[in-house]
Amino acid sequence: MFIAFVGGGNMASAIIGGLLKSGKPPADILVLEPNADQRSVLQRDLGVITLEAPGSVLQRADVVVWAVKPQVFKEAAAATSAHIGKALQFSVMAGIRSDALVAALGTERIVRAMPNTPALIGQGIAGLYARPAVTAAERRDTERLLAPTGRTLWVDREDDLDAVTALSGSGPAYVFYVVEAMVQAAEEMGLTAEQGKQLALATFSGASALALASNDPPSVLRERVTSKGGTTYAALTSLESSHVKSAFVKAIKAAQRRATELGNEFG
């Protein structure tokens, strides 16, 4: 596949970097990026073809990856759509619904993705939604395109991408938030910030790996390390009395509502 990216920022760079590591030749990747400094970075670090403005070379694209900021999408689509009519259109933009993509790009062959920032190190997960016109082969092409950045998860309803956004798209920030709290507690208990960070991050990564390797639900894993009257029990009892779980659920639903609002705003 010849792949064209419209926008060459962090997420595009993460996907491109993964493709290159998996063996894709740089000559098979083009990035349309108006910012001269970013084009220089892409050329120097990744060796891909870059364009300042849309041109006929875009007609070679089998897949076009939309990775611009949502507020500039319509302008970018107006300048680019005439050159990319034969390609599968793949969006990693938040807030731009597929109906708006169809209207701007003139094709029903559209896949939307909601990735997250661990894609930058190949540990991400992306929710995917495909319009009915997308073939099974094109779905597989999309999975292969994202495989170097981490896992993928298909949803049947486009509205479910708002929930994906709230859970995994925004999710890394929730993890960092809890790590911040653990580091603060470490310092208040007499450890250094660096010691707290190492302990917190190793605990998160280890617990996540254990949960991934286990067939048991998280609740069972939690119960196994919670002896009544012990230290973990004391901590969890405090969390429950502060309604932390319900606060997290409320927060994630707030993120979902905001994702829906952005979809309404941008189309």
Side-chain angles (χ1 to χ4, degrees):
M1 292 188 300
F2 187 82
I3 303 172
F5 287 77
V6 183
N10 286 338
M11 191 53 65
S13 296
I15 296 171
I16 293 167
L19 289 170
L20 296 176
K21 287 179 183 177
S22 69
K24 190 161 191 65
D28 286 346
I29 300 173
L30 178 149
V31 184
L32 176 60
E33 172 56 62
N35 183 279
D37 291 339
Q38 185 61 19
R39 285 200 309 278
S40 296
V41 171
L42 292 164
Q43 292 165 355
R44 183 190 68 226
D45 295 348
L46 302 176
V48 296
I49 304 166
T50 62
L51 282 180
E52 180 180 3
S56 59
V57 67
L58 286 167
Q59 296 174 12
R60 294 178 54 197
D62 299 296
V63 179
V64 174
V65 181
W66 288 91
V68 297
K69 293 179 180 179
Q71 56 266 35
V72 303
F73 165 67
K74 288 185 179 179
E75 180 183 352
T80 308
S81 59
H83 302 287
I84 56 174
K86 296 179 181 179
L88 174 68
Q89 306 295 314
F90 177 60
S91 170
V92 295
M93 300 177 294
I96 305 290
R97 292 179 180 150
S98 66
D99 284 345
L101 294 166
V102 170
L105 301 174
T107 177
E108 288 281 344
R109 293 169 53 234
I110 286 171
V111 176
R112 281 189 63 197
M114 185 60 233
N116 63 3
T117 54
L120 295 167
I121 58 165
Q123 296 293 318
I125 186 166
L128 297 171
Y129 167 78
R131 300 273 294 191
V134 176
T135 67
E138 288 171 332
R139 280 175 171 246
R140 290 192 294 272
D141 286 341
T142 301
E143 292 171 353
R144 284 195 292 270
L145 190 147
L146 285 181
T149 68
R151 300 165 180 258
T152 55
L153 173 72
W154 289 97
V155 297
D156 294 326
R157 301 182 310 158
E158 185 170 7
D159 286 349
D160 288 341
L161 286 182
D162 292 340
V164 172
T165 299
L167 284 166
S168 59
S170 299
Y174 313 152
V175 174
F176 303 146
Y177 185 77
V178 175
V179 169
E180 285 182 71
M182 293 175 76
V183 171
Q184 179 180 329
E187 291 184 277
E188 292 179 4
M189 293 186 297
L191 298 175
T192 67
E194 181 58 30
Q195 288 173 323
K197 178 183 174 183
Q198 288 187 38
L199 289 166
L201 291 177
T203 300
F204 258 100
S205 62
S208 296
L210 178 61
L212 283 169
S214 175
N215 292 322
D216 294 319
S219 59
V220 171
L221 297 176
R222 171 180 53 76
E223 289 165 2
R224 285 180 184 159
V225 294
T226 309
S227 301
K228 192 164 186 177
T231 58
T232 308
Y233 180 82
L236 292 177
T237 299
S238 177
L239 289 172
E240 284 296 305
S241 67
S242 297
H243 308 291
V244 171
K245 183 185 289 187
S246 61
F248 257 102
V249 172
K250 182 179 178 181
I252 293 168
K253 288 181 177 179
Q256 180 191 29
R257 286 194 300 274
R258 183 57 182 152
T260 301
E261 289 169 359
L262 289 171
N264 293 336
E265 180 181 345
F266 292 118

